Amino acid sequence: MANQELEMDRDNSDSGPMVSLRDLHVSYGDREILHGISFDVKRGETMVILGGSGSGKSTLLRTLVGLERASSGEVWIQGKNIADISQDEMDEIRKHIGMSFQGSALFGSMTVGDNVALPLREHTKLEDSTIEIMLRLKLEQVGLAGFEYYMPSQLSGGMMKRAAVARAMAMDPEILFFDEPSAGLDPIIAAGIDQLILELKKAFRMTIIIVTHELASAFLIADRMVLIDKGNVVAIGTTEEMRKSTQPRVRQFLDRVAEPEVARELDYLQMLTEDRRPAKMPGGKGRA
């Protein structure tokens, strides 16, 4: 009875979290990747998931959008535990979320406009004329007005990222997910993507969840951050709380301090390099 009341509360309360994870475990075969992740994402906030390579942050994102199944635990989105629902129910939830992939994932054989229109054609019964208007609006919102007839191969890296965002927004999602939005972009173009995310948040008041390891972007766009390390939540808080944290793992990540093993390997490589340098002879000349 208590569980039923909890589920009804999650489903009906507009003040509750948009996303809620409780003791989430995810495994690939016998190897467990996430070891009991728990945190909430508030409605309308931008949550940045930080972590180094192999930390489990990408697995966490894939689980949140239903591409990976939880081994145990709960993932509540819009009042439903997606760890325990049917594929049809998950497909229905996906109509209310948008996903911008790291590599943009645009279909190369389709125009930019057709890429953006694809979710509308797959999941709605709108007239083509209406879809045409909507795709142009979405492209205008991301700064790509007039590019609907271009092919993805004709776009720059930053423009492809923007087109991917336009497609993710096609169904007017309540939650927008980003996987490394500024990866592979130069600093100026990356700053433009950060600004786009801020503008979308201000205009549409969406809940935004972003996976990244780019600290400059994270501190600019986040309301709160969660740091994942080796499949565990190390810290969670506002940008200011994270900056002031004295937790050793947080400081190591934010201050970009190498792991001891890595540092030792670098020292060893430096030693080998120095041993191979020509020894200086009297008069400043190298060894013959």
Side-chain angles (χ1 to χ4, degrees), residues 74-133:
E74 301 176 346
V75 182
W76 292 88
I77 296 180
Q78 295 181 320
K80 292 188 177 181
N81 179 14
I82 68 169
D84 190 30
I85 62 175
S86 68
Q87 189 60 52
D88 287 343
E89 289 175 302
M90 188 66 230
D91 289 341
E92 191 62 32
I93 287 177
R94 286 198 183 104
K95 294 178 183 179
H96 302 280
I97 65 177
M99 175 73 184
S100 179
F101 294 91
Q102 180 176 343
S104 301
L106 299 176
F107 291 98
S109 60
M110 300 169 61
T111 65
V112 170
D114 284 337
N115 268 282
V116 176
L118 184 61
L120 296 169
R121 291 184 172 132
E122 288 288 323
H123 301 297
T124 74
K125 296 181 180 179
L126 295 172
E127 297 289 337
D128 284 344
S129 58
T130 303
I131 291 176
E132 185 76 14
I133 293 171

Short mmCIF file of all heavy atoms in Angstrom, two decimals, residues 74-133:
data_model
loop_
_atom_site.label_atom_id
_atom_site.label_comp_id
_atom_site.label_asym_id
_atom_site.label_seq_id
_atom_site.Cartn_x
_atom_site.Cartn_y
_atom_site.Cartn_z
N GLU A 74 15.68 1.59 -8.99
CA GLU A 74 14.56 2.28 -9.61
C GLU A 74 15.03 3.51 -10.37
O GLU A 74 15.95 4.21 -9.94
CB GLU A 74 13.55 2.72 -8.55
CG GLU A 74 12.97 1.57 -7.74
CD GLU A 74 12.05 2.07 -6.63
OE1 GLU A 74 12.08 3.28 -6.33
OE2 GLU A 74 11.32 1.23 -6.07
N VAL A 75 14.39 3.77 -11.51
CA VAL A 75 14.61 4.99 -12.29
C VAL A 75 13.24 5.57 -12.60
O VAL A 75 12.53 5.08 -13.47
CB VAL A 75 15.36 4.71 -13.62
CG1 VAL A 75 15.61 6.02 -14.36
CG2 VAL A 75 16.67 3.97 -13.37
N TRP A 76 12.86 6.61 -11.86
CA TRP A 76 11.54 7.22 -12.01
C TRP A 76 11.62 8.40 -12.96
O TRP A 76 12.40 9.33 -12.76
CB TRP A 76 11.00 7.68 -10.66
CG TRP A 76 10.67 6.57 -9.73
CD1 TRP A 76 11.51 5.95 -8.86
CD2 TRP A 76 9.40 5.92 -9.59
NE1 TRP A 76 10.85 4.95 -8.18
CE2 TRP A 76 9.56 4.92 -8.60
CE3 TRP A 76 8.15 6.10 -10.19
CZ2 TRP A 76 8.51 4.10 -8.21
CZ3 TRP A 76 7.10 5.28 -9.80
CH2 TRP A 76 7.28 4.30 -8.81
N ILE A 77 10.83 8.36 -14.02
CA ILE A 77 10.71 9.47 -14.97
C ILE A 77 9.23 9.74 -15.19
O ILE A 77 8.49 8.83 -15.58
CB ILE A 77 11.41 9.17 -16.31
CG1 ILE A 77 12.92 9.01 -16.10
CG2 ILE A 77 11.13 10.28 -17.32
CD1 ILE A 77 13.69 8.72 -17.37
N GLN A 78 8.83 10.95 -14.90
CA GLN A 78 7.43 11.34 -15.07
C GLN A 78 6.47 10.37 -14.37
O GLN A 78 5.44 9.97 -14.90
CB GLN A 78 7.08 11.44 -16.56
CG GLN A 78 7.85 12.54 -17.29
CD GLN A 78 7.49 12.64 -18.75
OE1 GLN A 78 7.31 11.62 -19.42
NE2 GLN A 78 7.37 13.85 -19.24
N GLY A 79 6.84 9.97 -13.16
CA GLY A 79 5.96 9.14 -12.35
C GLY A 79 5.97 7.67 -12.65
O GLY A 79 5.19 6.91 -12.07
N LYS A 80 6.86 7.21 -13.55
CA LYS A 80 6.93 5.79 -13.87
C LYS A 80 8.34 5.27 -13.68
O LYS A 80 9.32 5.93 -14.05
CB LYS A 80 6.47 5.53 -15.31
CG LYS A 80 4.99 5.80 -15.53
CD LYS A 80 4.55 5.35 -16.91
CE LYS A 80 3.05 5.55 -17.09
NZ LYS A 80 2.57 5.10 -18.43
N ASN A 81 8.44 4.08 -13.10
CA ASN A 81 9.72 3.43 -12.90
C ASN A 81 10.10 2.71 -14.19
O ASN A 81 9.59 1.63 -14.47
CB ASN A 81 9.65 2.45 -11.73
CG ASN A 81 10.96 1.73 -11.48
OD1 ASN A 81 12.01 2.14 -12.00
ND2 ASN A 81 10.92 0.66 -10.70
N ILE A 82 10.99 3.31 -14.98
CA ILE A 82 11.31 2.74 -16.29
C ILE A 82 12.14 1.47 -16.17
O ILE A 82 12.36 0.78 -17.17
CB ILE A 82 12.02 3.75 -17.20
CG1 ILE A 82 13.44 4.08 -16.68
CG2 ILE A 82 11.19 5.01 -17.38
CD1 ILE A 82 14.28 4.87 -17.66
N ALA A 83 12.61 1.16 -14.96
CA ALA A 83 13.32 -0.10 -14.75
C ALA A 83 12.36 -1.28 -14.69
O ALA A 83 12.78 -2.43 -14.69
CB ALA A 83 14.15 -0.04 -13.47
N ASP A 84 11.05 -0.98 -14.66
CA ASP A 84 10.07 -2.05 -14.48
C ASP A 84 8.82 -1.78 -15.32
O ASP A 84 7.70 -1.90 -14.83
CB ASP A 84 9.71 -2.17 -13.00
CG ASP A 84 8.89 -3.42 -12.70
OD1 ASP A 84 9.07 -4.43 -13.40
OD2 ASP A 84 8.04 -3.37 -11.78
N ILE A 85 9.01 -1.39 -16.59
CA ILE A 85 7.87 -1.16 -17.47
C ILE A 85 8.09 -1.89 -18.79
O ILE A 85 9.20 -2.33 -19.10
CB ILE A 85 7.63 0.34 -17.74
CG1 ILE A 85 8.84 0.96 -18.45
CG2 ILE A 85 7.31 1.08 -16.45
CD1 ILE A 85 8.62 2.41 -18.86
N SER A 86 7.03 -2.00 -19.56
CA SER A 86 7.11 -2.70 -20.84
C SER A 86 7.77 -1.80 -21.89
O SER A 86 7.92 -0.59 -21.70
CB SER A 86 5.71 -3.07 -21.32
OG SER A 86 4.97 -1.91 -21.64
N GLN A 87 8.14 -2.40 -23.03
CA GLN A 87 8.76 -1.64 -24.11
C GLN A 87 7.78 -0.61 -24.68
O GLN A 87 8.18 0.50 -25.02
CB GLN A 87 9.22 -2.58 -25.22
CG GLN A 87 10.07 -1.91 -26.29
CD GLN A 87 11.33 -1.28 -25.73
OE1 GLN A 87 12.10 -1.93 -25.03
NE2 GLN A 87 11.56 -0.01 -26.04
N ASP A 88 6.51 -0.98 -24.76
CA ASP A 88 5.51 -0.04 -25.26
C ASP A 88 5.40 1.18 -24.35
O ASP A 88 5.27 2.32 -24.83
CB ASP A 88 4.14 -0.73 -25.38
CG ASP A 88 4.09 -1.71 -26.54
OD1 ASP A 88 4.97 -1.62 -27.43
OD2 ASP A 88 3.19 -2.57 -26.56
N GLU A 89 5.44 0.95 -23.04
CA GLU A 89 5.37 2.06 -22.10
C GLU A 89 6.62 2.94 -22.20
O GLU A 89 6.55 4.17 -22.11
CB GLU A 89 5.21 1.54 -20.67
CG GLU A 89 3.86 0.93 -20.37
CD GLU A 89 3.80 0.32 -18.98
OE1 GLU A 89 4.62 -0.58 -18.69
OE2 GLU A 89 2.94 0.75 -18.18
N MET A 90 7.78 2.31 -22.41
CA MET A 90 9.02 3.07 -22.57
C MET A 90 8.98 3.91 -23.84
O MET A 90 9.43 5.05 -23.86
CB MET A 90 10.22 2.11 -22.60
CG MET A 90 11.57 2.82 -22.58
SD MET A 90 11.89 3.69 -21.03
CE MET A 90 12.37 5.31 -21.64
N ASP A 91 8.43 3.35 -24.90
CA ASP A 91 8.30 4.10 -26.16
C ASP A 91 7.42 5.32 -25.98
O ASP A 91 7.67 6.37 -26.58
CB ASP A 91 7.74 3.19 -27.26
CG ASP A 91 8.73 2.14 -27.73
OD1 ASP A 91 9.94 2.31 -27.47
OD2 ASP A 91 8.30 1.14 -28.33
N GLU A 92 6.39 5.19 -25.13
CA GLU A 92 5.51 6.32 -24.88
C GLU A 92 6.24 7.41 -24.11
O GLU A 92 6.08 8.61 -24.40
CB GLU A 92 4.28 5.85 -24.08
CG GLU A 92 3.17 6.87 -23.98
CD GLU A 92 2.58 7.27 -25.31
OE1 GLU A 92 2.55 6.42 -26.24
OE2 GLU A 92 2.18 8.45 -25.44
N ILE A 93 7.09 7.02 -23.15
CA ILE A 93 7.86 7.99 -22.39
C ILE A 93 8.86 8.70 -23.29
O ILE A 93 9.10 9.92 -23.16
CB ILE A 93 8.58 7.31 -21.21
CG1 ILE A 93 7.57 6.93 -20.12
CG2 ILE A 93 9.67 8.20 -20.62
CD1 ILE A 93 8.16 6.19 -18.95
N ARG A 94 9.43 7.97 -24.24
CA ARG A 94 10.43 8.57 -25.14
C ARG A 94 9.84 9.69 -25.98
O ARG A 94 10.57 10.54 -26.49
CB ARG A 94 11.03 7.49 -26.05
CG ARG A 94 12.00 6.56 -25.34
CD ARG A 94 12.87 5.83 -26.34
NE ARG A 94 13.76 4.88 -25.70
CZ ARG A 94 13.58 3.56 -25.69
NH1 ARG A 94 12.53 3.03 -26.33
NH2 ARG A 94 14.44 2.76 -25.10
N LYS A 95 8.53 9.70 -26.15
CA LYS A 95 7.90 10.78 -26.90
C LYS A 95 7.99 12.11 -26.15
O LYS A 95 7.78 13.17 -26.72
CB LYS A 95 6.44 10.44 -27.18
CG LYS A 95 6.24 9.26 -28.11
CD LYS A 95 4.76 8.97 -28.30
CE LYS A 95 4.55 7.73 -29.18
NZ LYS A 95 3.11 7.41 -29.35
N HIS A 96 8.30 12.05 -24.85
CA HIS A 96 8.35 13.24 -24.02
C HIS A 96 9.77 13.61 -23.61
O HIS A 96 9.97 14.49 -22.78
CB HIS A 96 7.50 13.04 -22.76
CG HIS A 96 6.07 12.73 -23.07
ND1 HIS A 96 5.14 13.69 -23.41
CD2 HIS A 96 5.40 11.53 -23.12
CE1 HIS A 96 3.97 13.13 -23.65
NE2 HIS A 96 4.10 11.82 -23.47
N ILE A 97 10.76 12.90 -24.19
CA ILE A 97 12.15 13.23 -23.92
C ILE A 97 12.89 13.40 -25.24
O ILE A 97 12.51 12.83 -26.26
CB ILE A 97 12.85 12.15 -23.05
CG1 ILE A 97 12.94 10.81 -23.79
CG2 ILE A 97 12.13 11.99 -21.72
CD1 ILE A 97 13.67 9.74 -23.01
N GLY A 98 13.92 14.22 -25.23
CA GLY A 98 14.75 14.42 -26.41
C GLY A 98 16.19 14.06 -26.09
O GLY A 98 16.65 14.23 -24.96
N MET A 99 16.92 13.57 -27.10
CA MET A 99 18.29 13.12 -26.88
C MET A 99 19.19 13.67 -27.99
O MET A 99 18.92 13.45 -29.18
CB MET A 99 18.35 11.59 -26.87
CG MET A 99 19.75 11.01 -26.78
SD MET A 99 20.48 11.21 -25.14
CE MET A 99 22.12 10.55 -25.41
N SER A 100 20.22 14.39 -27.59
CA SER A 100 21.23 14.88 -28.52
C SER A 100 22.50 14.06 -28.31
O SER A 100 23.14 14.18 -27.25
CB SER A 100 21.51 16.37 -28.30
OG SER A 100 22.50 16.83 -29.18
N PHE A 101 22.86 13.24 -29.29
CA PHE A 101 23.97 12.30 -29.13
C PHE A 101 25.31 12.99 -29.35
O PHE A 101 25.40 14.02 -30.01
CB PHE A 101 23.82 11.14 -30.12
CG PHE A 101 22.64 10.26 -29.85
CD1 PHE A 101 21.41 10.52 -30.46
CD2 PHE A 101 22.73 9.18 -28.99
CE1 PHE A 101 20.31 9.71 -30.22
CE2 PHE A 101 21.64 8.37 -28.74
CZ PHE A 101 20.42 8.64 -29.36
N GLN A 102 26.36 12.38 -28.81
CA GLN A 102 27.70 12.95 -28.88
C GLN A 102 28.14 13.20 -30.31
O GLN A 102 28.67 14.25 -30.64
CB GLN A 102 28.71 12.04 -28.17
CG GLN A 102 30.13 12.57 -28.20
CD GLN A 102 31.09 11.71 -27.40
OE1 GLN A 102 30.68 10.90 -26.59
NE2 GLN A 102 32.38 11.88 -27.62
N GLY A 103 27.92 12.23 -31.19
CA GLY A 103 28.34 12.38 -32.57
C GLY A 103 27.25 12.92 -33.48
O GLY A 103 27.32 12.76 -34.70
N SER A 104 26.25 13.54 -32.89
CA SER A 104 25.09 14.11 -33.60
C SER A 104 24.13 13.05 -34.11
O SER A 104 22.92 13.19 -34.02
CB SER A 104 25.53 15.02 -34.76
OG SER A 104 26.33 16.07 -34.29
N ALA A 105 24.66 11.96 -34.68
CA ALA A 105 23.84 10.82 -35.14
C ALA A 105 22.79 11.24 -36.16
O ALA A 105 21.69 10.69 -36.18
CB ALA A 105 23.20 10.11 -33.94
N LEU A 106 23.13 12.19 -37.02
CA LEU A 106 22.22 12.56 -38.11
C LEU A 106 22.31 11.50 -39.21
O LEU A 106 23.37 10.92 -39.44
CB LEU A 106 22.60 13.92 -38.67
CG LEU A 106 22.53 15.12 -37.71
CD1 LEU A 106 23.02 16.38 -38.41
CD2 LEU A 106 21.12 15.32 -37.18
N PHE A 107 21.20 11.26 -39.88
CA PHE A 107 21.20 10.31 -41.00
C PHE A 107 21.79 11.00 -42.22
O PHE A 107 21.22 11.97 -42.73
CB PHE A 107 19.79 9.81 -41.28
CG PHE A 107 19.24 8.94 -40.19
CD1 PHE A 107 18.40 9.46 -39.22
CD2 PHE A 107 19.57 7.59 -40.14
CE1 PHE A 107 17.90 8.64 -38.20
CE2 PHE A 107 19.08 6.77 -39.12
CZ PHE A 107 18.24 7.30 -38.16
N GLY A 108 22.92 10.47 -42.70
CA GLY A 108 23.64 11.11 -43.79
C GLY A 108 22.91 11.14 -45.11
O GLY A 108 23.20 11.98 -45.97
N SER A 109 21.96 10.24 -45.30
CA SER A 109 21.23 10.17 -46.56
C SER A 109 19.99 11.06 -46.57
O SER A 109 19.27 11.11 -47.58
CB SER A 109 20.81 8.72 -46.83
OG SER A 109 19.97 8.24 -45.79
N MET A 110 19.74 11.76 -45.47
CA MET A 110 18.57 12.62 -45.36
C MET A 110 19.00 14.07 -45.19
O MET A 110 20.05 14.35 -44.63
CB MET A 110 17.71 12.20 -44.15
CG MET A 110 17.20 10.77 -44.24
SD MET A 110 16.47 10.21 -42.66
CE MET A 110 15.12 11.36 -42.47
N THR A 111 18.19 15.00 -45.69
CA THR A 111 18.49 16.41 -45.48
C THR A 111 18.38 16.76 -44.00
O THR A 111 17.82 15.99 -43.21
CB THR A 111 17.53 17.30 -46.27
OG1 THR A 111 16.20 17.13 -45.74
CG2 THR A 111 17.55 16.97 -47.75
N VAL A 112 18.90 17.91 -43.65
CA VAL A 112 18.80 18.38 -42.27
C VAL A 112 17.34 18.49 -41.86
O VAL A 112 16.94 18.06 -40.77
CB VAL A 112 19.52 19.74 -42.11
CG1 VAL A 112 19.22 20.36 -40.74
CG2 VAL A 112 21.02 19.57 -42.30
N GLY A 113 16.51 19.03 -42.76
CA GLY A 113 15.10 19.17 -42.46
C GLY A 113 14.41 17.84 -42.22
O GLY A 113 13.60 17.69 -41.30
N ASP A 114 14.74 16.85 -43.05
CA ASP A 114 14.14 15.53 -42.89
C ASP A 114 14.60 14.86 -41.60
O ASP A 114 13.85 14.11 -40.97
CB ASP A 114 14.48 14.64 -44.09
CG ASP A 114 13.66 14.99 -45.33
OD1 ASP A 114 12.58 15.58 -45.16
OD2 ASP A 114 14.11 14.69 -46.45
N ASN A 115 15.85 15.11 -41.21
CA ASN A 115 16.34 14.59 -39.92
C ASN A 115 15.52 15.16 -38.77
O ASN A 115 15.12 14.42 -37.86
CB ASN A 115 17.82 14.95 -39.73
CG ASN A 115 18.77 13.87 -40.24
OD1 ASN A 115 18.98 12.87 -39.57
ND2 ASN A 115 19.31 14.09 -41.42
N VAL A 116 15.27 16.46 -38.80
CA VAL A 116 14.52 17.11 -37.73
C VAL A 116 13.07 16.64 -37.74
O VAL A 116 12.44 16.46 -36.69
CB VAL A 116 14.60 18.64 -37.86
CG1 VAL A 116 13.73 19.32 -36.81
CG2 VAL A 116 16.05 19.11 -37.73
N ALA A 117 12.52 16.43 -38.94
CA ALA A 117 11.11 16.04 -39.07
C ALA A 117 10.86 14.58 -38.74
O ALA A 117 9.71 14.20 -38.50
CB ALA A 117 10.63 16.33 -40.49
N LEU A 118 11.90 13.77 -38.69
CA LEU A 118 11.73 12.32 -38.53
C LEU A 118 10.89 11.95 -37.31
O LEU A 118 9.95 11.15 -37.44
CB LEU A 118 13.10 11.64 -38.48
CG LEU A 118 13.08 10.11 -38.42
CD1 LEU A 118 12.40 9.53 -39.66
CD2 LEU A 118 14.49 9.56 -38.29
N PRO A 119 11.16 12.48 -36.11
CA PRO A 119 10.31 12.10 -34.96
C PRO A 119 8.85 12.47 -35.16
O PRO A 119 7.95 11.74 -34.73
CB PRO A 119 10.93 12.89 -33.80
CG PRO A 119 12.32 13.19 -34.23
CD PRO A 119 12.25 13.38 -35.71
N LEU A 120 8.59 13.60 -35.79
CA LEU A 120 7.22 14.04 -36.03
C LEU A 120 6.50 13.10 -37.00
O LEU A 120 5.32 12.80 -36.83
CB LEU A 120 7.22 15.47 -36.58
CG LEU A 120 7.77 16.54 -35.64
CD1 LEU A 120 7.99 17.85 -36.38
CD2 LEU A 120 6.83 16.74 -34.46
N ARG A 121 7.22 12.63 -38.00
CA ARG A 121 6.61 11.72 -38.98
C ARG A 121 6.42 10.33 -38.40
O ARG A 121 5.50 9.61 -38.80
CB ARG A 121 7.47 11.67 -40.24
CG ARG A 121 7.45 12.99 -41.02
CD ARG A 121 8.22 12.95 -42.31
NE ARG A 121 7.98 14.17 -43.07
CZ ARG A 121 8.95 14.91 -43.62
NH1 ARG A 121 10.22 14.53 -43.51
NH2 ARG A 121 8.65 16.01 -44.30
N GLU A 122 7.29 9.96 -37.46
CA GLU A 122 7.20 8.62 -36.86
C GLU A 122 6.14 8.54 -35.77
O GLU A 122 5.48 7.52 -35.61
CB GLU A 122 8.56 8.23 -36.27
CG GLU A 122 9.63 7.91 -37.30
CD GLU A 122 9.38 6.60 -38.01
OE1 GLU A 122 8.92 5.64 -37.36
OE2 GLU A 122 9.65 6.53 -39.24
N HIS A 123 5.96 9.62 -35.02
CA HIS A 123 5.14 9.55 -33.80
C HIS A 123 3.89 10.42 -33.80
O HIS A 123 3.18 10.47 -32.80
CB HIS A 123 6.00 9.92 -32.59
CG HIS A 123 7.18 9.03 -32.40
ND1 HIS A 123 7.08 7.67 -32.14
CD2 HIS A 123 8.52 9.30 -32.46
CE1 HIS A 123 8.28 7.15 -32.03
NE2 HIS A 123 9.18 8.11 -32.22
N THR A 124 3.64 11.14 -34.88
CA THR A 124 2.43 11.96 -34.94
C THR A 124 1.70 11.72 -36.26
O THR A 124 2.24 11.09 -37.17
CB THR A 124 2.76 13.47 -34.83
OG1 THR A 124 3.33 13.93 -36.06
CG2 THR A 124 3.72 13.74 -33.68
N LYS A 125 0.50 12.26 -36.33
CA LYS A 125 -0.29 12.17 -37.57
C LYS A 125 -0.48 13.56 -38.18
O LYS A 125 -1.47 13.82 -38.87
CB LYS A 125 -1.65 11.54 -37.26
CG LYS A 125 -1.54 10.09 -36.78
CD LYS A 125 -2.90 9.48 -36.49
CE LYS A 125 -2.77 8.04 -36.01
NZ LYS A 125 -4.10 7.43 -35.72
N LEU A 126 0.49 14.42 -37.95
CA LEU A 126 0.41 15.78 -38.45
C LEU A 126 0.53 15.80 -39.97
O LEU A 126 1.22 14.96 -40.57
CB LEU A 126 1.53 16.63 -37.84
CG LEU A 126 1.46 16.88 -36.33
CD1 LEU A 126 2.73 17.57 -35.85
CD2 LEU A 126 0.23 17.71 -35.98
N GLU A 127 -0.10 16.79 -40.58
CA GLU A 127 0.02 16.98 -42.02
C GLU A 127 1.45 17.41 -42.37
O GLU A 127 2.14 18.05 -41.58
CB GLU A 127 -0.97 18.07 -42.48
CG GLU A 127 -2.43 17.73 -42.27
CD GLU A 127 -2.91 16.64 -43.23
OE1 GLU A 127 -2.28 16.47 -44.29
OE2 GLU A 127 -3.90 15.96 -42.91
N ASP A 128 1.87 17.05 -43.58
CA ASP A 128 3.22 17.41 -44.02
C ASP A 128 3.45 18.91 -43.97
O ASP A 128 4.55 19.37 -43.64
CB ASP A 128 3.48 16.89 -45.43
CG ASP A 128 3.73 15.39 -45.47
OD1 ASP A 128 4.01 14.81 -44.40
OD2 ASP A 128 3.65 14.79 -46.57
N SER A 129 2.42 19.68 -44.29
CA SER A 129 2.57 21.14 -44.27
C SER A 129 2.84 21.65 -42.85
O SER A 129 3.64 22.57 -42.66
CB SER A 129 1.31 21.81 -44.84
OG SER A 129 0.16 21.42 -44.09
N THR A 130 2.19 21.02 -41.88
CA THR A 130 2.41 21.41 -40.48
C THR A 130 3.81 21.00 -40.03
O THR A 130 4.50 21.76 -39.34
CB THR A 130 1.36 20.75 -39.57
OG1 THR A 130 0.05 21.11 -40.01
CG2 THR A 130 1.55 21.17 -38.12
N ILE A 131 4.22 19.79 -40.41
CA ILE A 131 5.58 19.32 -40.06
C ILE A 131 6.63 20.23 -40.67
O ILE A 131 7.64 20.55 -40.03
CB ILE A 131 5.76 17.86 -40.53
CG1 ILE A 131 4.88 16.93 -39.69
CG2 ILE A 131 7.23 17.45 -40.44
CD1 ILE A 131 4.93 15.48 -40.13
N GLU A 132 6.40 20.69 -41.89
CA GLU A 132 7.34 21.59 -42.55
C GLU A 132 7.50 22.88 -41.76
O GLU A 132 8.62 23.38 -41.57
CB GLU A 132 6.84 21.91 -43.96
CG GLU A 132 7.79 22.74 -44.80
CD GLU A 132 8.98 21.97 -45.34
OE1 GLU A 132 8.94 20.71 -45.30
OE2 GLU A 132 9.95 22.60 -45.77
N ILE A 133 6.41 23.42 -41.27
CA ILE A 133 6.47 24.64 -40.46
C ILE A 133 7.22 24.39 -39.16
O ILE A 133 8.08 25.18 -38.75
CB ILE A 133 5.04 25.15 -40.16
CG1 ILE A 133 4.36 25.62 -41.45
CG2 ILE A 133 5.07 26.28 -39.14
CD1 ILE A 133 2.89 25.93 -41.29
#
